[in-house]
Amino acid sequence: MSSNQKNQSVPPFGIKDKIGYMMGDFGNDFTFLFAQMYLMVFCTDVLGIGAGIVGIILMSARIVDAFTDAGMGRICDIAKPTKDGRFRVWIKRMAVPMGLSSMLIYMYWVKDFPDTMKIVWVFVTYILWGSFFYTACNIPYGSMSSVITNDAKERASLSVFRTVGAVMAGMIIGMVTPQLVYRANEAGQQVIIPERVTLVAVIYGILAIIFYLGCFKLTTERVQIQVDKDAKKGPGIGETLKQLVSCGPLLVVIGVALLLLIGSLLTSTMNTYLYKDYFNNTSVMALASLTSTLAMLLMAPFATKLAGKFGKKEVCSAGMLLATVMFLLLWVLKVKSPMAFIAMLFVSNVGMGIQSMLTWAFIGDVIDYQEIKTGTRCDGTVYAIYSFSRKLAQAAAGGLGGFVLVAIGYVSSTEGIAQTDSVKAGIYNCSTLLPGVCYLVVFLLLAFVYPLGKKKVDENTRILAERRQAQK
């Protein structure tokens, strides 16, 4: 494949692209984060499905993703571009099916089904949403950052805006949802309202569709990847995958993604139970979400500048070290006050904010590195592999959350029963120690293993710029 810039009629990269790309992660997270935070508790406390079975469902779905993610990435790489671009067109095509399939997962009347049918319903609808329609939107969405612009600094700004979109969606989900779906029963225990979960799922599905279409409308693909007519001139899928498996920076980024998502998503899954059962105070979940959002947004104005001055690898390593220290302190101190817990999470999220704002820009650097190394560019396939690794982490987080709840003796019930003190202590430990260990390993990988520091990234950008200039 070869790449070249579109003609001068294409508008220059600017704020319109950034806002559009930000809207894309709004679309992603109104369904993704909602599933991460509430699917497990919906299944256990509304449908009455055992946490271990839910964990198996989540992990099994990722096996399907092994094929759908790679397949979607390859389709993006080899398909003939349309008038709507190579990647944007899929967002336009799949936004509505994605939103509708997300809604189907949370239909409250499924609680009256026989137990086997409940499990089948969750499995089928979750696969339909996550492995097919979400994949068909998310793989093109993530891949298109490298064709919106080929400038490393502009890609970093896209990563920042994407994360701002995710954080703002997370703030809405985290602050609004608990107020709508929980109530206190006669015993003072926090219980979930089934009908409200369905209503919220429908609203979030509609919002996801709207923001996806906004992303499609506002972004522009500028870097055109031309597919060789003679298939022999370019590597096949087998050779491409072989090349990528041997790509050291990609393997490190995948390892970081696995650990980072296991830590952060396990925290999201377990925090629902932490506030409900350990602190017995779901009302502070809104405050926890707000402070987390503020910590993330606090870093938004500085992330691109810090990355430009010191390098993405360097500033992200420092941020992950701060997050590690705070989570391990929470585990050691066994905090009893939800307000003190939230305050320490705020400090941790300042460190996490740096990594979150820049995480997607690492992929652009890896794609550039691979193009220099092999002479071919495969944005969609690289992103598909990366996305698949993230989904493995999502499955591990969801599955691990379910298995841990079983291991510590959590009792699934639609009656809102009180958990034992040992179960509550187990929930706390899983919410602090396990993420802390994950973040420690992420810090070590970024600081001492990942090779694309600032100097190397700047050199790669220069080499590719010279190559493209020579092709004109």
Side-chain angles (χ1 to χ4, degrees):
M1 286 187 250
S2 62
S3 62
N4 63 309
Q5 286 292 126
K6 279 188 173 183
N7 59 43
Q8 297 299 318
S9 64
V10 175
F13 176 85
I15 189 64
K16 183 178 177 182
D17 294 281
K18 297 177 185 179
I19 293 175
Y21 206 63
M22 179 181 71
M23 293 178 73
D25 227 312
F26 261 103
N28 282 338
D29 289 327
F30 269 116
T31 60
F32 169 70
L33 283 183
F34 183 62
Q36 188 59 47
M37 296 172 67
Y38 288 95
L39 178 59
M40 177 72 74
V41 73
F42 175 75
C43 290
T44 58
D45 291 15
V46 173
L47 302 185
I49 301 174
I53 294 176
V54 181
I56 292 172
I57 291 173
L58 298 181
M59 297 188 74
S60 298
R62 301 293 77 82
I63 297 174
V64 179
D65 287 349
F67 300 95
T68 59
D69 278 12
M72 194 65 220
R74 191 61 179 171
I75 288 171
C76 290
D77 281 338
I78 67 175
K80 183 179 179 181
T82 70
K83 65 181 181 63
D84 292 321
R86 183 186 300 279
F87 301 103
R88 291 169 60 249
V89 65
W90 290 102
I91 297 175
K92 177 182 178 181
R93 290 169 177 170
M94 295 297 173
V96 172
M98 187 282 304
L100 294 176
S101 61
S102 174
M103 300 175 196
L104 286 176
I105 303 173
Y106 306 95
M107 296 295 104
Y108 72 91
W109 35 260
V110 175
K111 66 185 175 64
D112 297 322
F113 285 10
D115 290 343
T116 300
M117 287 302 299
K118 293 178 187 176
I119 296 170
V120 170
W121 178 272
V122 173
F123 180 77
V124 171
T125 55
Y126 185 70
I127 288 285
L128 186 66
W129 165 72
S131 298
F132 290 95
F133 296 129
Y134 182 80
T135 287
C137 284
N138 184 251
I139 296 296
Y141 168 72
S143 302
M144 64 190 275
S145 65
S146 61
V147 297
I148 291 176
T149 175
N150 56 15
D151 183 276
K153 292 182 180 179
E154 291 175 348
R155 287 179 187 166
S157 69
L158 282 178
S159 180
V160 169
F161 270 78
R162 172 175 185 166
T163 304
V164 169
V167 169
M168 293 176 67
M171 179 180 67
I172 294 171
I173 294 169
M175 292 184 63
V176 175
T177 309
Q179 313 305 317
L180 296 176
V181 304
Y182 284 109
R183 64 174 175 81
N185 63 13
E186 294 180 356
Q189 299 296 319
Q190 295 294 317
V191 295
I192 199 164
I193 307 171
E195 296 85 354
R196 293 286 186 87
V197 179
T198 301
L199 176 61
V200 170
V202 170
I203 293 172
Y204 289 165
I206 293 171
L207 289 174
I209 294 170
I210 292 172
F211 283 108
Y212 262 134
L213 295 179
C215 174
F216 166 79
K217 185 70 174 178
L218 295 178
T219 54
T220 301
E221 294 186 21
R222 294 176 179 81
V223 181
Q224 294 299 295
I225 310 299
Q226 303 298 330
V227 181
D228 294 317
K229 294 181 179 180
D230 185 354
K232 294 181 180 180
K233 293 182 180 180
I237 181 63
E239 180 62 26
T240 298
L241 292 176
K242 182 179 178 180
Q243 292 174 358
L244 293 176
V245 167
S246 65
C247 178
L250 178 61
L251 295 179
V252 175
V253 169
I254 286 174
V256 166
L258 286 168
L259 292 164
L260 191 62
L261 278 166
I262 288 173
S264 60
L265 298 180
L266 180 62
T267 299
S268 296
T269 299
M270 297 302 296
N271 274 359
T272 302
Y273 297 93
L274 181 74
Y275 292 109
K276 180 171 71 74
D277 296 303
Y278 181 83
F279 290 123
N280 193 32
N281 189 345
T282 57
S283 63
V284 299
M285 291 176 69
L287 178 61
S289 178
L290 176 61
T291 55
S292 174
T293 300
L294 291 176
M296 295 285 189
L297 293 179
L298 180 65
M299 301 311 302
F302 309 107
T304 303
K305 294 180 180 178
L306 289 172
K309 183 174 183 180
F310 300 106
K312 291 184 281 293
K313 164 184 171 172
E314 292 78 3
V315 296
C316 288
S317 298
M320 291 312 303
L321 180 59
L322 176 60
T324 298
V325 170
M326 295 310 299
F327 266 93
L328 294 181
L329 274 177
L330 281 170
W331 173 63
V332 170
L333 295 176
K334 299 294 188 294
V335 176
K336 299 295 183 182
S337 166
M339 301 304 292
F341 189 89
I342 291 171
M344 294 183 71
L345 276 185
F346 175 83
V347 179
S348 172
N349 282 321
V350 170
M352 289 288 294
I354 300 173
Q355 170 70 29
S356 297
M357 292 292 168
L358 297 172
T359 187
W360 299 103
F362 281 95
I363 293 301
D365 294 341
V366 170
I367 291 172
D368 288 348
Y369 170 88
Q370 189 68 6
E371 182 179 0
I372 290 173
K373 181 180 177 182
T374 66
T376 61
R377 191 173 182 90
C378 42
D379 306 63
T381 304
V382 169
Y383 186 80
I385 292 175
Y386 180 64
S387 178
F388 173 58
S389 72
R390 289 175 63 86
K391 288 188 177 180
L392 284 179
Q394 295 162 19
L400 182 61
F403 300 148
V404 165
L405 286 171
V406 172
I408 64 179
Y410 184 87
V411 179
S412 298
S413 172
T414 60
E415 304 298 326
I417 66 172
Q419 304 295 325
T420 65
D421 289 341
S422 63
V423 170
K424 294 176 182 178
I427 290 172
Y428 183 90
N429 290 333
C430 292
S431 301
T432 53
L433 177 60
L434 293 182
V437 171
C438 288
Y439 298 156
L440 173 61
V441 180
V442 168
F443 161 71
L444 295 174
L445 285 174
L446 286 175
F448 302 108
V449 182
Y450 184 66
L452 300 183
K454 184 178 188 301
K455 182 177 180 181
K456 185 64 174 176
V457 169
D458 290 345
E459 179 186 355
N460 289 345
T461 301
R462 177 186 59 78
I463 292 173
L464 288 178
E466 291 175 353
R467 286 185 183 180
R468 288 170 181 141
Q469 183 64 33
Q471 291 172 356
K472 291 184 177 180

